[in-house]
Amino acid sequence: MNEIFLMKLGEIVLKGANKRQFENKLRQNVRRRMKHYGNFDVYIMQSTVYVVPEDENADVDGAWEACHSIFGVVSLCRCRPCEKNVDAIYNAIEEYLGEDLDCARSFKVESKRSDKQFPLNSIQISQEIGGRLAEAHPSVKVDVRKPEYTVYVEVRDLAAYVHGPAEPGAGGLPTGVGGRAMCLLSGGIDSPVAAYMIAKRGVEIECVHFFSYPYTSQLAKDKVLELARLVTKYSGRMTVNIVSFTEIQEAIRDNCPEEYFTLIMRRFMMEIAQRLAKHDGCGALITGENLGQVASQTMEAMTVTGAVVDIPVFMPLVGMDKEEIVTISRKIGAFETSILPYEDCCTVFTPKHPKTKPTIGQLIHAEAKLDRQAMIDKAVETVERIQVKYHDEPRI
Ligand code: ATP
Ligand code: MG
């Protein structure tokens, strides 16, 4: 084979005794991702993941693109393996990187030798190879301080590898090392970003969406499923729980004071989400809440909505500006879908003057006419579970 990927492990290198477990998880995740693109051998040595295409028909470009969204990898490069001698290394560079080198005005060679048996040390490798390249490419100057292009040589245990500059990986921790959490996924900009951020910390994601047909349309549901699909590019496959929320919203409208509508509704969401979470082995909830963004996102409002659950509620966006959130939303490819105009159930029956400083006592009083537990039981019993994976057809 004449091209493989080398991916450098991120924070997991630091994890001491758990390192082996982290590496195994990462290897498993990479293997699973690569399956879609053909036959690849995946192994880890010296804090590096090797991804080796094993058949002619493998979709190497597709696999390369997919490797950029695997958590636990800080940087990655495509490279050419070759024999461990200077001639072979030089020839591999000429063949594999010669054209890139010719496009630059200046270059240097940077070498790393983890096989200490190799007769030249890293400085000597760089000097020897750099000298030969300079002679063969007289229009490209050697510049060891600020080169436009860097040729990398790595002499490792099994072979030598040559490559150009590495690209940034997805960072974070391998999916699955941090347990599982349930994200309350709306059709907005924030919650898909929140799901992505917690997934990045090694957490498997499951989602719940509250759906108020006919107040919100089938399109709104497809939009949420599409957002979930986009998140799976990073998080891996997930289940989306669709909770029919219409009856609960109508009961709130008919039986509760208007200024508390949103807060009561959100307390139902949290409690139902927690029931589903516990059922599926999720140890936390995730929301896209952001301090001060809307009336239901004050500290007091968060106190009354958080009071109905006893597992942690992760709000990774709580201190971010909208602009920062939008940047991530664009980066993960969710933004264009998030801004499609379909209604969310939160915008149905919104109070004209929502309470911004509610107390728990007020909420209990405002909910007094509702049989909350029976309503929650029913919602949980009638949940629709949809499996979503990245290679599904786009939903909208
Ligand atoms: P988003 O952009 O994620 O919709 P938002 O700024 O619109 O957030 P809210 O509508 O107040 O904020 O919702 C706050 C959080 O509550 C959302 O980020 C999401 O986690 C959750 N949420 C809101 N509506 C729904 C829904 N219909 N289904 C599931 N979760 C929801
Ligand atoms: Mg919203």
Side-chain angles (χ1 to χ4, degrees):
M1 97 295 302
N2 60 6
E3 189 175 43
I4 74 164
F5 311 155
L6 289 185
M7 310 205 284
K8 303 284 157 73
L9 269 55
E11 278 175 56
I12 57 175
V13 181
L14 307 172
K15 293 284 171 185
N18 293 331
K19 186 174 159 188
R20 181 56 54 84
Q21 183 208 335
F22 279 59
E23 289 189 349
N24 287 341
K25 202 58 171 178
L26 179 60
R27 191 181 55 225
Q28 233 175 29
N29 294 347
V30 177
R31 280 209 178 123
R32 190 172 326 111
R33 290 292 177 96
M34 292 301 98
K35 257 194 198 137
H36 183 79
Y37 302 96
N39 240 337
F40 289 82
D41 189 17
V42 177
Y43 54 92
I44 298 186
M45 274 166 48
Q46 298 168 310
S47 298
T48 303
V49 188
Y50 292 70
V51 182
V52 184
E54 298 250 84
D55 69 66
E56 291 290 299
N57 303 322
D59 173 6
V60 175
D61 290 337
W64 171 243
E65 144 80 16
C67 283
H68 287 74
S69 49
I70 298 176
F71 290 131
V73 171
V74 266
S75 69
L76 61 167
C77 56
R78 290 170 86 136
C79 54
R80 164 77 50 99
C82 62
E83 269 180 48
K84 291 198 280 186
N85 64 66
V86 171
D87 287 340
I89 292 171
Y90 173 73
N91 290 334
I93 294 171
E94 281 295 3
E95 249 182 68
Y96 188 60
L97 304 171
E99 273 177 36
D100 291 351
L101 187 61
D102 278 329
C103 294
R105 271 171 301 192
S106 58
F107 84 103
K108 75 167 174 179
V109 178
E110 207 170 297
S111 308
K112 238 193 316 192
R113 175 187 68 148
S114 51
D115 170 10
K116 301 296 179 203
Q117 308 297 324
F118 193 74
L120 305 185
N121 67 25
S122 26
I123 294 172
Q124 290 166 332
I125 300 171
S126 297
Q127 281 171 345
E128 174 64 28
I129 301 285
R132 291 196 196 187
L133 288 171
E135 220 168 278
H137 301 261
S139 63
V140 194
K141 279 209 247 351
V142 176
D143 179 350
V144 290
R145 247 175 288 144
K146 263 188 116 188
E148 224 178 73
Y149 189 77
T150 302
V151 171
Y152 293 86
V153 176
E154 302 191 36
V155 181
R156 291 171 165 265
D157 283 352
L158 299 180
Y161 302 87
V162 304
H163 60 87
E167 295 179 12
L173 299 172
T175 304
V177 299
R180 183 181 306 155
M182 173 79 70
C183 181
L184 286 83
L185 188 68
S186 70
I189 295 170
D190 301 336
S191 41
V193 173
Y196 159 83
M197 287 182 68
I198 298 301
K200 189 170 177 179
R201 298 314 299 164
V203 176
E204 281 175 17
I205 301 293
E206 193 166 309
C207 286
V208 53
H209 176 66
F210 298 89
F211 179 56
S212 300
Y213 189 78
Y215 300 105
T216 60
S217 64
Q218 179 63 36
L219 275 173
K221 178 169 150 187
D222 288 339
K223 174 184 173 183
V224 169
L225 290 170
E226 176 61 7
L227 287 170
R229 189 186 73 81
L230 294 170
V231 171
T232 62
K233 177 172 183 186
Y234 296 89
S235 66
R237 58 182 58 202
M238 66 162 82
T239 301
V240 180
N241 297 272
I242 304 282
V243 174
S244 166
F245 209 44
T246 316
E247 267 183 42
I248 291 178
Q249 283 195 293
E250 287 175 342
I252 297 171
R253 178 196 60 193
D254 296 341
N255 294 290
C256 305
E258 187 191 293
E259 57 189 335
Y260 294 101
F261 280 0
T262 309
L263 291 164
I264 296 173
M265 184 189 79
R266 295 193 54 74
R267 278 160 61 88
F268 272 100
M269 286 187 180
M270 297 297 274
E271 201 167 339
I272 293 167
Q274 169 166 274
R275 285 273 289 275
L276 296 169
K278 288 185 173 173
H279 180 266
D280 288 354
C282 299
L285 301 179
I286 305 166
T287 74
E289 279 164 285
N290 181 238
L291 202 54
Q293 195 184 78
V294 290
S296 61
Q297 296 179 11
T298 61
M299 283 183 219
E300 293 81 357
M302 288 176 187
T303 304
V304 301
T305 52
V308 294
V309 298
D310 54 27
I311 55 177
V313 180
F314 295 150
M315 304 178 182
L317 315 187
V318 75
M320 292 169 73
D321 288 345
K322 197 74 196 180
E323 222 174 291
E324 297 171 289
I325 300 170
V326 166
T327 303
I328 302 178
S329 171
R330 286 187 194 281
K331 184 180 98 175
I332 64 172
F335 186 72
E336 298 303 325
T337 305
S338 283
I339 59 173
L340 292 173
Y342 317 121
E343 293 256 291
D344 180 56
C345 70
C346 282
T347 55
V348 181
F349 315 135
T350 9
K352 279 191 216 67
H353 303 289
K355 267 276 186 198
T356 52
K357 290 187 189 304
T359 64
I360 299 208
Q362 288 169 346
L363 260 296
I364 289 173
H365 188 68
E367 291 167 350
K369 285 196 197 151
L370 303 176
D371 185 351
R372 289 185 87 248
Q373 288 315 311
M375 292 160 75
I376 290 168
D377 288 346
K378 186 167 176 200
V380 170
E381 276 160 27
T382 55
V383 70
E384 179 190 4
R385 291 165 64 87
I386 300 176
Q387 305 300 324
V388 176
K389 55 184 193 308
Y390 187 61
H391 295 292
D392 290 345
E393 284 294 306
R395 307 266 176 167
I396 43 175

